[in-house]
Amino acid sequence: MGQKVNPISFRTGVFRTWKSRWFATRDDYRKFFFEDIKLRRALEEKFKLAGVHSIEIERLPKAMTIKISVSRPGIVIGRGGSGIEETKNFLRKNLSPITNNTSHPKIDVIVEEVKNPELSARLVSQRIVGELERRMPHRRVVTRTMERVMAAGARGVKISLAGRIDGAEIGRTEKYKDGSVPTQSLRANIDYAEARVLLKRGYVGIKVWIYPPEERKN
């Protein structure tokens, strides 16, 4: 079962928390749900160069906290913190007002740095996309990526490519693995991400599983 569902959703509620945390009535649920999707897509596009790892949204009746984890926080924060205010104004334009007037919830933006980008499946998949777009050989790209991930301390990494790889006439799937990746164990904190890249002959789907090092307990 662990290999047939998204490893993130498979572990949500066990030891992973939800990336959207709020309560809504029946009428507001759909609005908040699609609004969260819209905000994430807008922020990911705006801070594409910052290397977005995750975006968490927490709503209160008249306030909202958005936590953005990136590999290059300086791009988001800006000089003297000017980027934070610019981000708040950007979010207000994409938010629905609380009432029929023009008021919006109070927004608090928290920027967190990803200490080791090589252990983030999302950032690793984005790097693979960039290298494949530059027409680098896919086996060399995957091999170097796995070497960097393992060198960063990961206990295991698995990468899957699917589609018309190298412009093949018939689509196929290639899987690469190094170390241990226990996808069926709920106790294993598996990081997972999906991406796709449009090449000359068509799309290639990318899936990345990373088993990070064990956290040290003080």
Side-chain angles (χ1 to χ4, degrees):
M1 180 179 179
Q3 296 184 9
K4 298 179 183 178
V5 298
N6 188 305
I8 302 297
S9 61
F10 188 51
R11 291 163 175 82
T12 298
V14 180
F15 64 86
R16 279 184 176 272
T17 185
W18 285 260
K19 293 184 179 180
S20 290
R21 297 182 291 275
W22 40 264
F23 174 80
T25 61
R26 183 175 182 179
D27 296 334
D28 291 335
Y29 183 88
R30 182 174 63 177
K31 183 186 72 174
F32 288 167
F33 178 78
F34 286 108
E35 197 171 70
D36 283 6
I37 295 175
K38 180 181 177 182
L39 289 177
R40 284 195 172 91
R41 289 178 177 174
L43 289 173
E44 288 171 0
E45 183 64 27
K46 180 178 177 63
F47 299 121
K48 190 174 182 180
L49 297 178
V52 178
H53 168 67
S54 66
I55 299 174
E56 298 182 9
I57 300 175
E58 186 172 355
R59 295 176 184 261
L60 295 175
K62 293 187 179 181
M64 173 184 290
T65 300
I66 297 181
K67 181 179 177 182
I68 308 174
S69 299
V70 295
S71 59
R72 293 181 288 275
I75 297 177
V76 182
I77 298 173
R79 182 174 297 178
S82 59
I84 299 295
E85 291 300 323
E86 181 183 347
T87 302
K88 291 181 180 179
N89 295 330
F90 175 78
L91 292 170
R92 291 188 185 99
K93 295 179 181 179
N94 289 275
L95 282 174
S96 303
I98 298 176
T99 59
N100 292 328
N101 55 30
T102 57
S103 63
H104 287 85
K106 179 183 177 182
I107 300 175
D108 187 18
V109 177
I110 300 174
V111 181
E112 186 179 72
E113 181 182 6
V114 178
K115 296 181 180 179
N116 196 341
E118 299 296 342
L119 297 178
S120 168
R122 186 182 183 89
L123 297 179
V124 169
S125 64
Q126 291 174 358
R127 178 180 295 151
I128 294 175
V129 168
E131 292 180 350
L132 291 180
E133 286 178 339
R134 294 194 293 270
R135 300 184 180 182
M136 296 180 63
H138 71 281
R139 288 190 178 88
R140 183 188 303 174
V141 171
V142 172
T143 301
R144 289 182 178 179
T145 299
M146 291 194 302
E147 289 176 353
R148 287 194 295 261
V149 172
M150 296 301 291
R155 286 180 278 182
V157 56
K158 183 168 69 172
I159 298 175
S160 172
L161 303 180
R164 297 183 62 181
I165 304 171
D166 281 343
E169 292 295 330
I170 300 177
R172 66 180 188 273
T173 300
E174 293 187 7
K175 295 182 179 180
Y176 305 85
K177 182 180 177 181
D178 191 2
S180 174
V181 185
T183 53
Q184 295 185 356
S185 175
L186 284 172
R187 293 175 294 179
N189 183 18
I190 303 297
D191 194 15
Y192 173 77
E194 297 178 358
R196 63 176 184 175
V197 53
L198 179 59
L199 302 179
K200 187 176 181 180
R201 296 295 182 89
Y203 279 101
V204 173
I206 303 167
K207 295 181 180 180
V208 178
W209 295 258
I210 295 179
Y211 189 20
E214 186 176 1
E215 296 182 0
R216 295 181 179 179
K217 297 181 181 181
N218 295 329

